[in-house]
Amino acid sequence: MYAVRFGGLLHRAIFALAGVATFADGGGASATAFDGFGLYRHGTVDSIEQLMILPDGRFCYNVMAGSLDLLTGGYWTAQGDAIVLREIKPVSSPIVVLWQASTREEDRGKILFEFSGRTFGGQAGILFGTSDGDQLPKDMRPLFAPDANGFESFYVETRSIGTKTFALATRARQFPSDGPSTILQYRLPAVPAGSGLRLRLYYDREAVRPSIALTATMKDGAMTIDDRSFGKPGPISDGDRATCTDVIRKAESGEAPAAVDAARLKAERSAEADFPGAASATPLFKTSGDGAMAN
């Protein structure tokens, strides 16, 4: 299994390296002079990076350090004594919503929103609201307070209230009062009479990570990236090659991870809007001890 781990320095380096290189159009190797194919490795006390360079113009890059766990791939092109690597990174929404009908007695007649505190809690300026029609919610509230980001938290409404849509708004800036929000509006799916509706929502940090662009220089058969020495290449196992191929295939196809017993709900509307009163509103989840909340 092709598995790599990298550390805190790399977490900062990935964002600093994004956009470093200028790439030729299209994928695949554009020169035949480069022959440093194989598996390269760079490690520190708290991180490991591995870079697999395949002769057909593809590469895979795997890192793990602290909370960062990344396995991605793309195409490389040769430029003199260097190679330039471009990640394949499909555009996707950072908000993921999964839903399913529930036949549990305690869920009957309810709409249960389950928010991932672990992923949403670290994102400043995310707002949430519900509406009884196609219009955007009149009131949008911050989702999590800074100290309420450790657990899964539930917001519960009864279906008799008549909620038809809900919305989540995100801001590129850190502070909720600074600039417009990008708002995603979702229509609640229909479920059989007598059933409950459960929705699980989480924030996909990977979707907003800048695309990786790396320039690797070669000298005497050894590779250097951003002053980090990866040494000379080692052999590539059949399993590593198969894993890399699968990573690139999924990235090119835009294939999303399968959800068990749940369907992914797509946003029906995307727009920009200002919510001037939201910055001072009480967060929906104020502490990590908040449980189910109901209107």
Side-chain angles (χ1 to χ4, degrees), residues 164-251:
K164 298 291 192 303
T165 61
F166 66 94
L168 286 151
T170 61
R171 289 178 174 79
R173 298 176 178 86
Q174 180 177 2
F175 300 103
S177 59
D178 189 9
S181 296
T182 298
I183 186 165
L184 298 174
Q185 187 177 29
Y186 301 81
R187 182 172 300 279
L188 291 175
V191 296
S195 299
L197 174 62
R198 299 181 69 93
L199 302 105
R200 172 162 171 73
L201 304 93
Y202 64 93
Y203 189 85
D204 182 8
R205 295 186 180 94
E206 174 66 14
V208 296
R209 174 181 59 80
S211 180
I212 294 174
L214 300 172
T215 299
T217 57
M218 300 294 298
K219 185 176 181 180
D220 298 327
M223 176 180 289
T224 299
I225 300 177
D226 191 35
D227 297 325
R228 303 190 308 279
S229 175
F230 282 69
K232 296 185 178 182
I236 300 174
S237 71
D238 291 342
D240 288 350
R241 187 184 301 271
T243 299
C244 184
T245 297
D246 191 53
V247 166
I248 294 174
R249 178 189 64 79
K250 289 180 178 178

Side-chain angles (χ1 to χ4, degrees), residues 31 34 76-84 215-218 224:
F34 178 77
W76 60 267
T77 57
Q79 292 186 0
D81 62 351
I83 59 171
V84 184
T215 299
T217 57
M218 300 294 298
T224 299

